[in-house]
Amino acid sequence: MDNESKAILQTALAVRVSHPHATALEVLDLAMTDRNRSDPDFSDASTPAGDHTDPASPFGRLLRDAFAPEITDAELTERGGPSGESAFWVRWHQRVMEPFAERYRLWSAETDDDRWTTLVSAQVLKRWPHLAATDSEEIARRLALLPEWRSVAAEAAADAYVRQSEERNATNREHGAFQLALHIEGATPDDLARGVAAAQAVFDDTGVTPAKAARALFNRDGWDVRGFPEEAQPTEAEMQAAAVWEDAEFAATSACCAGWATVPVSAHLELRWRWE
């Protein structure tokens, strides 16, 4: 998160406490004074969700109150639940983030290429926190080369690309957006393939997709790092999905390293982008 974004965040949250009778929109207007047409980066790895515009964060709740007060606290906490997560994020973007960006003319498509690419990469990671950072950076670089994407503001470009990819992932796992990758030092390609197959079998048996499990693991571990704050506590569904990822990783390493004396401590399963 850059200094400008920190200033916006600190001002908004401080004013909300010091002026409880001010409307959420009045608080934002004050915090955004002289910051129109800027490109704030609200991502923050130290937060449970990795971004201060996350619906469950204090700033996210301020945005909700300003632009979409009809979204309930329960919806913010659940983020749509296990069956409606994707639909919730579409709604959050359309009802909250788009009006926020339009009111203050943020994340302009007219920004320079390097900044646009950085913003898109950050926005992709906000939606897919389980994705390898190198993959999000490559996605942004590839989009920047396509005029139909580069002409769109970074926030909107990232959102549209994520939505299209998730639709593809939901309809065709074989050619979906993500693929599992296993990293174990000393393993042969056949060993790794056997491990990935074992992991996929766990996901298939439970009905939890690798992407959903990885996101849940990220949220759960972030909650741990933050000291288990009540407002960021994962849902029961997220806790179960995180456990599925751990089960899949154990199955993968066990299958890959069958017969080995020891398993390298660096062994891990990850989700990678499937390049078309």
Side-chain angles (χ1 to χ4, degrees), residues 31-134:
M32 295 302 299
T33 299
D34 298 327
R35 294 189 173 98
N36 283 17
R37 298 182 181 276
S38 61
D39 297 315
D41 178 9
F42 293 107
S43 60
D44 186 348
S46 68
T47 64
D51 196 289
H52 288 287
T53 62
D54 181 79
S57 73
F59 189 67
R61 289 176 182 272
L62 175 63
L63 293 175
R64 181 279 308 266
D65 292 346
F67 299 107
E70 71 278 6
I71 298 178
T72 67
D73 287 345
E75 288 178 289
L76 292 185
T77 302
E78 293 287 337
R79 295 178 178 83
S83 62
E85 183 177 20
S86 180
F88 173 81
W89 283 110
V90 171
R91 184 183 178 202
W92 179 257
H93 177 75
Q94 293 176 339
R95 302 300 297 275
V96 177
M97 296 308 298
E98 282 186 1
F100 177 46
E102 289 173 5
R103 184 176 182 86
Y104 306 109
R105 300 184 179 182
L106 305 178
W107 302 301
S108 171
E110 297 175 1
T111 189
D112 65 83
D113 287 347
D114 287 345
R115 180 60 175 159
W116 188 89
T117 301
T118 299
L119 288 169
V120 169
S121 177
Q123 294 299 324
V124 168
L125 274 180
K126 183 178 77 173
R127 291 158 176 76
W128 289 331
H130 50 275
L131 190 66
T134 53

Side-chain angles (χ1 to χ4, degrees), residues 173 180 192-210 244-253 255 269:
R173 195 199 80 192
L180 291 168
L192 295 173
R194 187 170 61 250
V196 168
Q200 187 62 59
V202 172
F203 292 119
D204 291 343
D205 288 345
T206 60
V208 176
T209 66
V244 170
W245 180 274
E246 292 176 323
D247 290 344
E249 188 167 56
F250 178 78
T253 55
L269 184 70

Side-chain angles (χ1 to χ4, degrees), residues 197-226:
Q200 187 62 59
V202 172
F203 292 119
D204 291 343
D205 288 345
T206 60
V208 176
T209 66
K212 188 176 292 294
R215 181 191 290 274
L217 185 72
F218 178 90
N219 290 341
R220 190 202 66 185
D221 289 352
W223 179 55
D224 185 347
V225 170
R226 293 280 291 170

